[in-house]
Amino acid sequence: MAQLASIILYCLTQLNGERTIYSIFHLLNGKKSSQTIQDAHLFSLKNFFGVYEPLSRESFEEIIQWMQESEWICNGGEQRFLLTPAGKSFLGNHPLPEFLNGWDYHPFTTQFWERLSLFIQVTSNLVFQESRYIPIQKNKHVHQWLKSVLKEIKVPRKEMGAIVYSELVECFNDANEIDPSLLVFRLTGFQQIGLTASQTAKRLQLEYHDYHIGFLNTLHYLIRKISDNATRLTVLAMLIHDLKQENELTLSSRKTQKLLNQGFSPEMIATYRQLKLSTIEDHFVEFALNVDDFSIDTYVDSELQTKILEISNHSATKKLKLIREKVPAATYFQIRLVLAKYGDR
Amino acid sequence: MELESILEKHFGYHSFKTGQKEVISSILAGNHTLAMLPTGTGKSLCYQLPGLILKGKILIISPLLSLMQDQVEQFKRFGEKRVIALNSFLSTEERNHVLSSLSSYKYIFLSPEMLRIPFIMRRLQDLDISLFVVDEAHCISQWGYDFRPDYSKLGDIRQKLGNPLTLALTATATSKVREDIIASLRIEEINKIESTIDRPNIAMYVENVPDYHDKQDRVIELVTNLQKPGIIYFTSKKAAEQMASLLVDKGICRAMPYHGGLDQNSRILIQQQFIFGQLDVICATSAFGMGVNKENIRFIIHYHMPMQMESYLQEIGRAGRDGLPCIAVLLHSPGDEQLPIHLAEGELPSEQQIDWLFKRISNEQRLMDVRVQLPNSFKELGGFSDIQWRMVEDFVNSPHRHTSQLEELQADFKKLIKERLIVKKKNIFQMKKWVESTLCRRELILQYFDETLSGKIPFCCDQCGLKLNDYQTGQQTLTLKENEQLWKDYLAKILTNRELSK
């Protein structure tokens, strides 16, 4: 579990005892709550957002337990954990997966994999001129996508396989930090069925959690590589050209945003939507994080903004309470807005 | 055109399997038909081929959603695109789309609960139906092991659709069940085509293992020596998982577990790996097998006793579809019947759960004239499993309910549950009796389905002197070379066709 452990250790370092251990669980799960989204930004943990969606609470707790027994972390009370010297040195010796980009890619990582695996299976069977086979992906949307893409690709069917092969090899060839086997052995082709995740882990002698992280790292590497070289990788580019980053706001925030754009104040929106003011404030913090042209100047004057940032940087904390003690003129809402807007930079 | 040439042209087969031609001819001659064909004889061909000749639609009622998807895919693979499945997997949007273009399909698969929806029934009534197919027809009978209350309404449905030409299909039905099917569908004259359920190339062997704990070791011995590929059936997921890792860790063979607890993607991959010979052995629960068309399975081992003779027959029937010799081994230890009994009880709602449910309904004053609408939250609150809850819903929606008084309903439901448990236990004891018998296994199975054995066959069963040695494998090879393969070679192998580029 070295790989997953180093991610958790890194998260704990960033959180610095200011959040509970479960904020990491929610982060890895990609929970779409204001709190988790803010934490991801505030503590610069965006890369790990949603990189382990299937992780269960039980497994997570077991891992934490194990890390505690290995004396890499110690319990600081209230479910807050800190790194021990052993934990720090472990983290130093186990670099983080380099290509994880959870924040940008997690909304379509699964979709990308479904597309890629079906696309390879179909291409392989085209190459071997086989039309009777069971598609290994059942998702109807992916089937529809494939149909339309096959029409668009203007490559002779018989050459498709060779082109896809050379494009994939080009992607993987100059990646020293990545083992393409993690992904390649899971692909299905003509009369050759791909391995399941657990089979691949076993074959490559990887622990299951680490395999999962490594697989995702490889997928994210591939997505990045394809989008950076989309003009050259003409066939693989079809896999991602319509995968856009969704608007990352929660549904409820979007409603609030609409009302805000009509000129309503936070209080009026709360009354109108019959929600607590604190909920609406959460939404505003989300805007500060995600909406580039959202200005917080209306809610915090610039002098106060500077002061809050200074205190935060100076005492190296994101704990609202500590900041508030030193800037009594600011409300919690104002502090959160400032940290959300500028705290990450 | 002759039937054979249609078969060859559309399906690529040269000849029919047992019973297929008789069934198809009977339908084309306009006779209602009840067909009992052994597992693995391609029942779907019996309506797919007539569909190429008959003018109107072919309606197929099937209770198994997963199987339905398989069948639709199978149709498509053989180039038949005018096929659709109407079931609860479809979103409302998809369903509306399908319903509005229903007339463009030739083969329409339906799950029985879809027939409960009046709007769908009206759409079906507008169609010109050439053939009404009831798949897994034994589900109609409450004597069947897999009774589905929804199925008992098919007689009404048939009538509402104008009594179309009907084909009832089943693999395993005793004569009592067959009578029930005919009565329930309200068909007066029916052509019965009952090919024997016997599969002479499958030898049967029951082995007593005095201590249950020795079963794992025995399986390892068996799997080491028997010709592969094979399937080992378990009643519990955990036992299946354990056995699979044991076989792999000891280097006996390439094995994987298969059960309902795996995600859909892994299930598809494992099934396909087995079909393409990348795995030697599947350690499975009864979830494995439907829709798996693999010809060369050489053994079936039962680690646990199945719940009834019908399941046993279905499961061993997956072996030897190529007609070559193969063996079914059942391992039996004293007290083995406890597990299936326990399971049978667990499938039914308990007395306490029923009491709780009805108390809750009356508290909420959800008493209505015809139909009690059950909120789904009750399922969780009452701790009902999926299977239990299906029984509750089926009962509540049953057309045969004559009362709206809660107390009477409650009593009726309890009575139904009790009856189901009696049937299930009877089936288990039937199975146990067979296991413990000292008579010819084959003869007893045939007897159960009201058949008689026409003549002695050479490799029959343990009681007739069968030796397991005859099914041993000659070679002891196991090298997992592919582990050394590099990703680039693998990729080249699936994406480039050397013969083509020459």
Side-chain angles (χ1 to χ4, degrees):
Chain A
M1 281 183 272
Q3 196 79 97
L4 186 56
S6 63
I7 291 179
I8 294 175
L9 287 172
Y10 178 76
C11 291
L12 284 171
T13 312
Q14 292 295 99
L15 293 178
N16 196 26
E18 299 192 13
R19 293 285 184 276
T20 73
I21 194 80
Y22 288 101
S23 65
I24 300 178
F25 174 66
H26 296 316
L27 178 83
L28 297 175
N29 264 186
K31 188 179 176 190
K32 287 195 178 57
S33 71
S34 297
Q35 182 71 55
T36 304
I37 292 170
Q38 281 169 40
D39 286 351
H41 285 83
L42 220 49
F43 297 99
S44 305
L45 296 172
K46 279 156 63 175
N47 287 348
F48 305 111
F49 187 82
V51 295
Y52 206 157
E53 282 174 340
L55 182 67
S56 71
R57 208 179 174 93
E58 293 76 46
S59 305
F60 179 74
E61 283 168 353
E62 274 171 30
I63 294 164
I64 296 302
Q65 173 92 31
W66 168 73
M67 289 173 67
Q68 226 177 328
E69 281 160 11
S70 310
E71 296 186 347
W72 293 339
I73 54 175
C74 57
N75 196 336
E78 296 174 22
Q79 297 177 332
R80 279 151 219 258
F81 286 80
L82 290 168
L83 266 65
T84 63
K88 279 178 194 155
S89 89
F90 182 89
L91 181 59
N93 296 329
H94 292 82
L96 296 166
E98 215 175 321
F99 302 101
L100 285 181
N101 188 353
W103 184 258
D104 290 336
Y105 293 161
H106 96 275
F108 52 77
T109 303
T110 306
Q111 204 183 352
F112 174 75
W113 168 241
E114 287 175 353
R115 285 180 174 191
L116 177 68
S117 51
L118 185 67
F119 181 69
I120 297 291
Q121 186 190 20
V122 170
T123 305
S124 174
N125 280 288
L126 273 175
V127 168
F128 288 90
Q129 293 167 302
E130 175 61 82
S131 59
R132 289 174 186 178
Y133 55 93
I134 304 266
I136 42 132
Q137 289 297 341
K138 301 285 169 187
N139 183 337
K140 275 178 248 162
H141 300 292
V142 176
H143 284 226
Q144 282 157 4
W145 166 83
L146 190 83
K147 259 188 204 164
S148 65
V149 150
L150 282 180
K151 274 182 209 149
E152 274 178 66
I153 295 178
K154 301 283 179 246
V155 167
R157 291 294 181 252
K158 283 180 185 174
E159 288 164 32
M160 274 263 286
I163 293 173
V164 174
Y165 173 76
S166 66
E167 288 193 3
L168 276 174
V169 169
E170 185 187 334
C171 286
F172 285 135
N173 250 351
D174 47 325
N176 300 321
E177 305 82 0
I178 268 192
D179 180 4
S181 312
L182 269 75
L183 184 148
V184 171
F185 290 137
R186 289 185 64 181
L187 295 170
T188 292
F190 167 70
Q191 293 186 354
Q192 178 67 50
I193 309 303
L195 302 183
T196 65
S198 63
Q199 285 173 324
T200 319
K202 206 163 187 174
R203 174 153 168 191
L204 300 174
Q205 295 177 316
L206 289 169
E207 188 274 330
Y208 186 77
H209 294 303
D210 283 351
Y211 172 74
H212 176 88
I213 298 290
F215 177 64
L216 229 70
N217 192 40
T218 315
L219 278 180
H220 285 181
Y221 167 81
L222 194 57
I223 297 173
R224 160 61 32 87
K225 196 81 187 170
I226 296 171
S227 39
D228 286 352
N229 300 285
T231 44
R232 221 172 44 249
L233 306 168
T234 47
V235 175
L236 289 184
M238 304 298 269
L239 292 166
I240 56 163
H241 81 281
D242 61 332
L243 292 181
K244 265 183 249 102
Q245 231 178 297
E246 286 165 49
N247 187 345
E248 268 309 322
L249 296 180
T250 53
L251 197 67
S252 182
S253 314
R254 260 176 252 179
K255 286 183 188 159
T256 298
Q257 190 186 26
K258 224 172 160 183
L259 294 165
L260 174 70
N261 291 341
Q262 290 167 22
F264 294 103
S265 71
E267 290 78 10
M268 287 159 85
I269 296 172
T271 316
Y272 180 76
R273 294 199 57 194
Q274 296 184 310
L275 291 172
K276 279 194 214 153
L277 183 59
S278 62
T279 308
I280 304 299
E281 288 178 352
D282 279 344
H283 296 163
F284 275 64
V285 176
E286 266 189 63
F287 303 153
L289 288 169
N290 291 300
V291 184
D292 283 340
D293 56 4
F294 175 78
S295 165
I296 63 167
D297 297 349
T298 325
Y299 313 101
V300 200
D301 65 53
S302 55
E303 202 181 321
L304 200 53
Q305 287 184 28
T306 326
K307 220 168 180 180
I308 292 170
L309 274 177
E310 263 172 23
I311 297 293
S312 169
N313 290 334
H314 185 69
S315 45
T317 185
K318 272 144 192 159
K319 265 190 185 155
L320 305 179
K321 214 172 155 189
L322 288 180
I323 299 174
R324 178 108 202 274
E325 278 166 14
K326 296 196 171 138
V327 198
T331 64
Y332 281 119
F333 177 46
Q334 287 173 321
I335 300 171
R336 288 170 66 206
L337 281 178
V338 174
L339 290 182
K341 190 79 188 171
Y342 305 109
D344 196 13
R345 324 274 142 107
Chain B
M1 215 194 305
E2 248 190 276
L3 290 180
E4 273 84 358
S5 44
I6 299 179
L7 182 72
E8 173 124 32
K9 188 178 160 213
H10 288 272
F11 303 95
Y13 301 132
H14 300 296
S15 60
F16 287 101
K17 291 190 184 169
T18 331
Q20 281 179 335
K21 193 177 180 185
E22 289 83 345
V23 176
I24 293 167
S25 311
S26 163
I27 292 164
L28 292 177
N31 300 314
H32 298 304
T33 308
L34 168 68
M36 189 166 112
L37 301 177
T39 27
T41 42
K43 281 185 288 165
S44 57
L45 191 86
C46 295
Y47 48 82
Q48 197 178 354
L49 196 149
L52 298 171
I53 297 165
L54 298 169
K55 261 195 186 147
K57 313 287 179 202
I58 316 290
L59 231 58
I60 306 115
I61 316 298
S62 170
L64 303 162
L65 293 185
S66 54
L67 191 58
M68 208 187 275
Q69 296 305 121
D70 278 348
Q71 282 168 320
V72 170
E73 261 173 32
Q74 203 99 290
F75 270 57
K76 287 187 176 162
R77 258 197 304 157
F78 281 101
E80 179 56 78
K81 306 272 186 238
R82 299 168 301 165
V83 55
I84 190 73
L86 257 176
N87 57 37
S88 48
F89 283 170
L90 296 179
S91 65
T92 320
E93 194 185 319
E94 287 169 324
R95 189 198 292 172
N96 288 340
H97 177 75
V98 169
L99 283 173
S100 65
S101 57
L102 208 53
S103 55
S104 65
Y105 297 102
K106 176 81 191 182
Y107 301 93
I108 303 165
F109 285 86
L110 284 146
S111 60
E113 78 266 14
M114 289 290 117
L115 299 168
R116 253 193 241 149
I117 303 168
F119 176 63
I120 292 184
M121 268 310 284
R122 280 199 297 277
R123 294 306 316 260
L124 294 175
Q125 281 166 323
D126 292 341
L127 298 174
D128 168 25
I129 297 164
S130 283
L131 186 62
F132 182 77
V133 183
V134 182
D135 204 1
E136 311 291 337
H138 56 265
C139 295
I140 287 181
S141 166
Q142 57 169 318
W143 303 110
Y145 66 97
D146 197 11
F147 171 53
R148 311 264 170 148
D150 263 336
Y151 254 50
S152 55
K153 280 169 281 180
L154 289 179
D156 284 337
I157 305 272
R158 244 193 103 239
Q159 213 158 36
K160 282 185 192 153
L161 295 175
N163 296 315
L165 182 63
T166 298
L167 167 65
L169 285 166
T170 177
T172 41
T174 61
S175 60
K176 198 171 178 185
V177 170
R178 278 173 265 170
E179 277 164 33
D180 256 14
I181 294 171
I182 299 167
S184 176
L185 288 173
R186 294 187 221 142
I187 296 173
E188 271 157 30
E189 261 187 56
I190 195 160
N191 211 349
K192 287 188 231 172
I193 293 163
E194 294 154 4
S195 79
T196 175
I197 51 122
D198 188 31
R199 299 269 307 278
N201 63 323
I202 306 176
M204 284 172 264
Y205 197 91
V206 176
E207 186 174 309
N208 283 304
V209 182
D211 185 348
Y212 177 83
H213 298 100
D214 294 335
K215 277 193 184 178
Q216 279 193 341
D217 289 341
R218 184 58 187 140
V219 168
I220 289 173
E221 277 171 30
L222 284 169
V223 174
T224 308
N225 294 319
L226 289 173
Q227 286 175 47
K228 289 167 264 294
I231 306 173
I232 312 172
Y233 276 106
F234 297 81
T235 306
S236 95
K237 289 177 195 169
K238 211 175 137 201
E241 297 246 358
Q242 278 175 354
M243 197 70 234
S245 11
L246 214 56
L247 288 170
V248 173
D249 294 344
K250 288 194 182 278
I252 310 288
C253 63
R254 299 167 299 173
M256 278 300 279
Y258 184 104
H259 52 72
L262 298 171
D263 63 282
Q264 192 200 31
N265 253 307
S266 302
R267 287 209 305 267
I268 298 168
L269 289 174
I270 293 166
Q271 188 181 313
Q272 293 293 307
Q273 288 171 359
F274 186 57
I275 289 174
F276 282 100
Q278 293 167 234
L279 291 172
D280 307 305
V281 169
I282 296 280
C283 297
T285 61
S286 57
F288 182 78
M290 270 185 299
V292 175
N293 292 313
K294 186 173 171 67
E295 300 271 296
N296 65 339
I297 296 172
R298 293 273 73 86
F299 73 76
I300 306 285
I301 295 175
H302 278 89
Y303 193 89
H304 296 121
M305 189 171 96
M307 308 269 286
Q308 56 267 318
M309 297 296 286
E310 286 88 342
S311 309
Y312 181 68
L313 203 63
Q314 294 248 3
E315 284 164 8
I316 68 169
R318 301 200 168 110
R321 295 201 176 162
D322 52 11
L324 297 172
C326 53
I327 180 134
V329 183
L330 187 148
L331 299 179
H332 182 253
S333 302
D336 268 5
E337 67 277 6
Q338 290 310 317
L339 186 60
I341 289 176
H342 185 73
L343 274 173
E345 286 168 346
E347 281 175 5
L348 303 168
S350 70
E351 188 125 333
Q352 289 94 313
Q353 281 176 310
I354 299 172
D355 289 343
W356 176 88
L357 181 71
F358 278 90
K359 199 170 160 215
R360 190 70 200 244
I361 294 172
S362 88
N363 281 350
E364 302 241 332
Q365 295 191 305
R366 281 181 172 274
L367 185 57
M368 289 167 208
D369 284 347
V370 211
R371 187 175 259 260
V372 182
Q373 283 290 342
L374 292 175
N376 243 330
S377 60
F378 282 14
K379 179 186 166 198
E380 219 168 288
L381 289 171
F384 292 92
S385 70
D386 287 346
I387 300 179
Q388 290 172 337
W389 192 245
R390 198 187 78 204
M391 293 210 65
V392 172
E393 286 189 317
D394 278 349
F395 175 75
V396 166
N397 293 314
S398 161
H400 301 306
R401 263 182 34 213
H402 299 298
T403 175
S404 57
Q405 289 298 309
L406 270 185
E407 293 80 32
E408 284 176 50
L409 268 181
Q410 186 171 2
D412 281 359
F413 191 44
K414 280 189 182 173
K415 196 169 145 239
L416 173 86
I417 297 299
K418 270 208 186 101
E419 284 168 2
R420 292 305 303 152
L421 190 61
I422 290 170
V423 172
K424 278 168 188 274
K425 281 190 178 163
K426 215 183 107 220
N427 287 336
I428 293 167
F429 281 102
Q430 193 87 40
M431 190 74 223
K432 182 176 153 75
K433 221 171 96 191
W434 179 81
V435 168
E436 290 172 350
S437 166
T438 51
L439 301 172
C440 169
R441 309 269 174 212
R442 196 173 303 270
E443 228 173 294
L444 285 175
I445 288 190
L446 289 175
Q447 234 173 56
Y448 180 76
F449 291 101
D450 312 287
E451 279 189 53
T452 44
L453 192 60
S454 44
K456 273 281 155 204
I457 58 165
F459 296 93
C460 182
C461 64
D462 51 320
Q463 299 297 339
C464 296
L466 184 85
K467 295 278 173 292
L468 279 177
N469 299 350
D470 293 325
Y471 297 86
Q472 280 188 3
T473 171
Q475 71 261 49
Q476 287 281 356
T477 48
L478 191 84
T479 40
L480 300 174
K481 256 196 215 142
E482 55 180 349
N483 270 351
E484 292 147 30
Q485 199 178 23
L486 298 170
W487 69 266
K488 227 185 253 186
D489 299 332
Y490 182 86
L491 209 51
K493 186 184 160 198
I494 60 175
L495 286 173
T496 51
N497 184 347
R498 292 220 181 88
E499 277 172 36
L500 206 69
S501 48
K502 262 175 205 165

